[in-house]
Amino acid sequence: VGWLMLMAGVIEIVHAFGVKTWGRFFYWLLSGLLYAVAGFFAFDNPILASTVLTFLLAVALVASGVLRVWVGYGHRPEPGWGWIVAAGVISALAGLIIAMGWPVNSLWVLGLFLAIDLIFQGWSFIAVGLALKR
């Protein structure tokens, strides 16, 4: 996992230098640096890094899920509020499931989430490239 994160970080840093605006340059540069630093720490102590990051992921999912439920419930009269609540419940449940299996599941949860992230990142790069080609 560490080498994938490090490689993705380097690619994003290289991509930053091909961006035309300063705002986007700094976004890509910061994103790439964060990925690269996280990849370096994952190399240095992979077990500790995966344990800490899995716990933070569980906390973030529970917090964002509860916030989505609260926001969705506050928009009750508007159409579609139930979808926001449902998404919040699913996020919170995912966080709770991860937290209940922690620290044992720390060895595979981050790999799964990183794989999903890299797949969507790749798809978005392909979509942007195809859109620019037209």
Side-chain angles (χ1 to χ4, degrees):
V1 173
W3 68 272
L4 286 175
M5 292 175 70
L6 191 57
M7 188 169 60
V10 169
I11 290 170
E12 285 190 11
I13 291 169
V14 169
H15 175 72
F17 289 98
V19 176
K20 306 248 186 273
T21 63
W22 283 108
R24 290 185 181 169
F25 167 78
F26 286 117
Y27 166 78
W28 285 106
L29 183 66
L30 179 63
S31 177
L33 287 173
L34 287 174
Y35 253 105
V37 167
F40 173 77
F41 282 119
F43 269 132
D44 189 46
N45 191 344
I47 302 298
L48 179 61
S50 68
T51 303
V52 169
L53 290 174
T54 301
F55 180 74
L56 291 175
L57 176 65
V59 169
L61 284 171
V62 170
S64 69
V66 169
L67 182 63
R68 284 185 194 151
V69 168
W70 181 55
V71 168
Y73 190 73
H75 286 79
R76 243 176 323 161
E78 298 174 23
W81 69 272
W83 288 107
I84 298 171
V85 171
V89 168
I90 290 170
S91 292
L93 285 175
L96 288 173
I97 289 169
I98 291 170
M100 289 184 338
W102 185 79
V104 176
N105 62 3
S106 298
L107 298 176
W108 63 268
V109 167
L110 292 178
L112 175 69
F113 275 75
L114 181 62
I116 292 169
D117 176 59
L118 290 174
I119 288 170
F120 278 100
Q121 186 177 11
W123 285 347
S124 67
F125 283 159
I126 291 170
V128 168
L130 291 174
L132 290 174
K133 186 177 179 182
R134 292 182 196 161

